Amino acid sequence: MSNVELADREDLLTATTIREMTLWYELYRLQERYVSIIDTDRLEQWPDLFTEDGVYEIVPKENADLGLPVGIMHCFGRPMLRDRIVSLRKANLFEPHTYRHMTSGLEFTTLDASTVDMQSNYVVVQTLTDGESGVYQAGRYFDRVVRTADGWRYQRKRAVYDTSRVRTLLATPV
Amino acid sequence: MKVATERESAGSRTEKLIYFPRSDGSRVPFEVYSSADIYELEQERIFRGPVWSYLAMEAEVPNPGDFKSTFVGDTPVVVTRSEDGGLAAWVNRCAHRGATICRTARGNAKSHVCVYHQWSYDTRGNLRGVPFRNGIKGSAGMPADFDPKNHGLQQLRVDSYRGLIFATFRDHAPSLYDYLGPAMRPGLDRLFHKPVDYLGCVRQYSKSNWKLYNDNVRDPYHAHLLHAFFSTFNILRAGTRIETVGSDNGLHSWLTVFRTEDATGGAAYKDSQLTSFKEGLRLEDVSLLANVKEFDEAVNNHIQMIFPQLVATQILNSLVVRQLLPKGPKNFELIFYFFGYTDDTPEMRLQRIKQANLVGPAGLISMEDTLATELVQFGTVSSNDALSMADMGRDASDEEQRRSMISENRVRHFWRGYQELMGL
């Protein structure tokens, strides 16, 4: 291989790496924004991170493993996502709490230029009014994100949780 | 000292642990929700007593060898489909040294082997294999009088009704058919009028006594007040037509809420200035509250408790059986098993999944139940002899209360049945 060919090849590798890093950075930013909106109680902005027909589900791992569809939250489209938040704010009763999300192990597969599947682990630490913090839910996100005019958005976000016994209740999405 | 010894030898606990000051079930000592002694007595007199405890839907164990681990009260039990297609249930405790045998939630197996010494049992819990039963080269091994037939797992009486599997520890309990009785069977006949598919389960853990949940499902008075989703989005109001039905022993009951248009626009709520009423709120996606007709009568909610472990429910098109499991005096687990009919269209299946949002741990119309039961648990700590009261409708006839949401009649009937069963 000539020096010129080698240099071209390095340029190509660099370009690929930069594209991949840029994509990773954009997806990571989306996830950080998602987590931040929930953990800082800006839930009215939560539906905006989904496409208009975006699907959000929280499903226990025991059902997901058996291919069974039922979970504890299923929102089909932004109107249902917004209804969830309106109900949480105006109708439902629950103990005041905060969430802190920890995520790790972000992996992704590019399906086409504007469609990516991604997965990551999450842990939600919940603090209740007695002042104690505890692991409320551990699980894994299975997401499909698409590039839109507003940036990357969730077309589907499925939180598959390991912590099958939900402690008392779940009001706030994870 | 002598008195105590005599009492113990007479079979213990002849003295009442807790005193109910009235016989009508309207006064309940709070201690009944936290006493460890009461809890132990409940295991003996209720869960190991003459009741049928709900275990599973047949749709969860359709094939020979299918099994599911669950509980009767505190006792770990495995329910299985045997090779001949019958049903069996046995205590999940090795007959040898008492180790847990089945260590998975569900699966399929022709035999169940204890990992400790590899004693193996068939699907009905009969002992089939003991490693080195005859020792090695004829030395040691089991004694000559060892008969595997006498060392099977403790087996429960099992029966099913309309695809719902129940078990009892008592050989002399009434049949399941009679235990459910003529008042309760029609509710189950309606919900299980055709074959069902199991769609998955979700679990909720509450830091409160299992009887607080029994109170809760028998109490229509709280529904539209605690669960503000109902009144906020105009689904259920005090004027809604309802019916409550109970069994003669008071222990089982159902509540049916019929679809009713509220001509007053919630005037009763505005007049009472209830915080749970908010005018003008509407869901953006009202398909969540659609009730696609699939039964003869237009019923929005049907909530039926078969004491002590089953609550069968229809909320719009969401079909669920809840299994109530006590976990010590101050905790219970509630497992929601969702189902649909095998002939559901894809659209109907989607509707059921969508309406899974209404029930379960994140249920828009039900998440507050465990909040309320925990508030009672926490509020009654060290309450000594203090009593809860359930007087709503106490002066009214059974017939009048049968149609009224503003009644605690079924709660009172439950406590009378409970006292009878417990000898309290």
Side-chain angles (χ1 to χ4, degrees):
Chain A
M1 205 177 279
S2 75
N3 283 342
V4 175
E5 282 173 327
L6 205 58
D8 282 352
R9 194 181 154 88
E10 275 174 12
D11 284 350
L12 189 64
L13 277 174
T14 308
T16 309
T17 307
I18 287 173
R19 265 206 305 280
E20 189 147 309
M21 281 176 64
T22 307
L23 180 57
W24 180 87
Y25 174 76
E26 288 171 1
L27 299 175
Y28 186 80
R29 284 286 304 272
L30 174 68
Q31 174 134 306
E32 293 294 285
R33 204 171 146 206
Y34 178 91
V35 160
S36 168
I37 281 173
I38 294 175
D39 290 357
T40 59
D41 196 26
R42 290 177 286 138
L43 295 171
E44 282 69 16
Q45 296 171 31
W46 174 68
D48 300 339
L49 294 183
F50 290 80
T51 59
E52 191 57 32
D53 62 350
V55 174
Y56 173 74
E57 296 183 288
I58 312 177
V59 178
K61 184 170 181 295
E62 69 173 299
N63 291 348
D65 285 351
L66 293 170
L68 298 170
V70 158
I72 55 175
M73 210 185 273
H74 301 271
C75 297
F76 302 106
R78 271 193 195 164
M80 273 191 88
L81 290 159
R82 285 192 290 262
D83 285 341
R84 217 356 125 162
I85 301 306
V86 170
S87 180
L88 180 152
R89 296 288 197 214
K90 307 281 188 190
N92 292 126
L93 298 172
F94 47 86
E95 190 177 336
H97 59 271
T98 56
Y99 278 179
R100 299 293 167 217
H101 277 73
M102 313 294 145
T103 62
S104 72
L106 180 68
E107 293 178 328
F108 61 88
T109 310
T110 305
L111 301 182
D112 61 47
S114 57
T115 314
V116 174
D117 276 352
M118 66 180 201
Q119 297 184 16
S120 55
N121 303 310
Y122 69 89
V123 171
V124 175
V125 173
Q126 187 191 49
T127 308
L128 293 165
T129 49
D130 64 4
E132 287 192 24
S133 303
V135 171
Y136 176 63
Q137 195 171 91
R140 191 162 174 84
Y141 289 131
F142 294 84
D143 307 328
R144 171 159 297 175
V145 296
V146 291
R147 203 192 289 273
T148 71
D150 301 323
W152 291 98
R153 290 291 179 268
Y154 294 101
Q155 192 174 63
R156 189 170 72 218
K157 186 170 189 69
R158 199 159 200 249
V160 176
Y161 62 98
D162 310 331
T163 318
S164 59
R165 268 184 185 171
V166 177
R167 216 163 51 199
T168 308
L169 58 84
L170 184 144
T172 308
V174 294
Chain B
M1 289 304 282
K2 187 167 178 293
V3 174
T5 310
E6 274 174 9
R7 195 157 63 217
E8 278 160 26
S9 63
S12 80
R13 297 195 275 231
T14 48
E15 207 169 82
K16 285 182 178 178
L17 286 168
I18 274 187
Y19 178 66
F20 286 77
R22 290 197 196 176
S23 59
D24 64 3
S26 70
R27 295 293 181 279
V28 176
F30 287 127
E31 205 186 340
V32 81
Y33 298 119
S34 57
S35 160
D37 290 339
I38 286 288
Y39 186 80
E40 285 308 311
L41 198 61
E42 286 169 351
Q43 295 303 315
E44 176 191 323
R45 296 194 179 164
I46 297 174
F47 294 101
R48 294 195 299 274
V51 305
W52 286 86
S53 294
Y54 174 71
L55 299 183
M57 283 185 278
E58 289 201 47
E60 291 178 81
V61 287
N63 302 310
D66 283 351
F67 67 86
K68 171 188 168 184
S69 296
T70 183
F71 294 87
V72 170
D74 265 351
T75 309
V77 162
V78 176
V79 56
T80 68
R81 175 82 64 182
S82 56
E83 284 80 352
D84 60 6
L87 295 164
W90 31 268
V91 176
N92 193 7
R93 183 182 66 226
C94 186
H96 178 216
R97 305 289 298 169
T100 298
I101 300 162
C102 177
R103 297 178 298 136
T104 48
R106 53 179 83 232
N108 183 284
K110 293 281 180 286
S111 67
H112 294 267
V113 181
C114 174
V115 295
Y116 201 171
H117 303 89
Q118 294 191 30
W119 284 35
S120 68
Y121 303 88
D122 65 19
T123 53
R124 291 195 164 273
N126 301 306
L127 181 60
R128 291 299 182 204
V130 174
F132 303 107
R133 180 178 162 189
N134 299 316
I136 292 177
K137 294 176 182 165
S139 75
M142 277 296 186
D145 63 2
F146 174 75
D147 183 352
K149 281 201 282 297
N150 299 329
H151 298 278
L153 301 173
Q154 186 180 357
Q155 296 172 19
L156 286 80
R157 244 175 99 197
V158 182
D159 200 357
S160 73
Y161 183 78
R162 292 272 180 183
L164 300 170
I165 308 170
F166 296 78
T168 179
F169 278 101
R170 284 283 179 87
D171 290 337
H172 302 297
S175 70
L176 175 62
Y177 187 84
D178 290 338
Y179 181 74
L180 296 171
M184 287 298 112
R185 286 193 303 264
L188 300 178
D189 293 344
R190 177 178 163 277
L191 272 182
F192 296 93
H193 67 287
K194 54 184 174 178
V196 302
D197 281 338
Y198 168 57
L199 303 179
C201 71
V202 298
R203 300 162 192 270
Q204 186 171 16
Y205 199 78
S206 175
K207 291 171 280 187
S208 54
N209 185 272
W210 69 285
K211 297 185 297 298
L212 287 169
Y213 195 71
N214 269 275
D215 288 338
N216 180 277
V217 298
R218 291 176 173 79
D219 159 21
Y221 176 36
H222 85 279
H224 57 116
L225 298 169
L226 175 69
H227 304 305
F229 189 89
F230 279 125
S231 49
T232 302
F233 298 109
N234 193 17
I235 309 163
L236 172 72
R237 287 184 176 164
T240 302
R241 187 163 75 87
I242 71 147
E243 184 179 25
T244 57
V245 173
S247 60
D248 288 342
N249 63 11
L251 294 170
H252 317 313
S253 66
W254 87 48
L255 163 69
T256 297
V257 178
F258 299 94
R259 190 206 294 248
T260 320
E261 298 304 325
D262 179 7
T264 72
Y269 287 79
K270 272 182 271 188
D271 295 347
S272 305
Q273 300 191 322
L274 293 175
T275 54
S276 56
F277 180 74
K278 295 182 184 66
E279 210 174 350
L281 269 183
R282 290 284 175 270
L283 289 176
E284 279 189 63
D285 187 343
V286 293
S287 71
L288 177 67
L289 300 176
N291 189 356
V292 180
K293 187 170 164 57
E294 56 181 333
F295 298 106
D296 290 340
E297 202 158 13
V299 168
N300 277 351
N301 301 342
H302 178 85
I303 299 169
Q304 181 169 7
M305 175 105 202
I306 302 297
F307 184 81
Q309 288 196 174
L310 173 70
V311 186
T313 69
Q314 174 230 325
I315 310 286
L316 305 174
N317 298 111
S318 164
L319 306 173
V320 178
V321 289
R322 308 175 192 172
Q323 191 184 25
L324 173 63
L325 299 174
K327 300 288 174 189
K330 295 176 185 176
N331 295 283
F332 68 80
E333 184 171 12
L334 194 59
I335 311 175
F336 297 73
Y337 300 90
F338 290 77
F339 64 96
Y341 299 116
T342 51
D343 63 0
D344 281 349
T345 60
E347 293 74 26
M348 184 54 113
R349 221 18 100 73
L350 183 67
Q351 173 77 356
R352 299 198 200 285
I353 302 299
K354 192 180 271 188
Q355 291 185 341
N357 282 298
L358 298 173
V359 294
L364 290 165
I365 60 167
S366 67
M367 70 168 80
E368 292 88 2
D369 283 328
T370 48
L371 173 76
T373 59
E374 289 183 2
L375 289 173
V376 176
Q377 191 77 37
F378 304 156
T380 57
V381 168
S382 298
S383 55
N384 297 320
D385 298 332
L387 303 165
S388 77
M389 62 106 82
D391 276 355
M392 270 293 181
R394 192 158 58 80
D395 282 346
S397 68
D398 267 9
E399 190 48 38
E400 188 183 335
Q401 295 188 81
R402 191 182 164 93
R403 312 280 175 202
S404 174
M405 207 148 21
I406 314 303
S407 163
E408 292 167 311
N409 196 26
R410 298 316 326 167
V411 176
R412 291 188 293 273
H413 277 287
F414 164 70
W415 283 105
R416 275 140 63 177
Y418 174 87
Q419 284 176 250
E420 172 82 27
L421 204 50
M422 288 283 284
L424 291 172

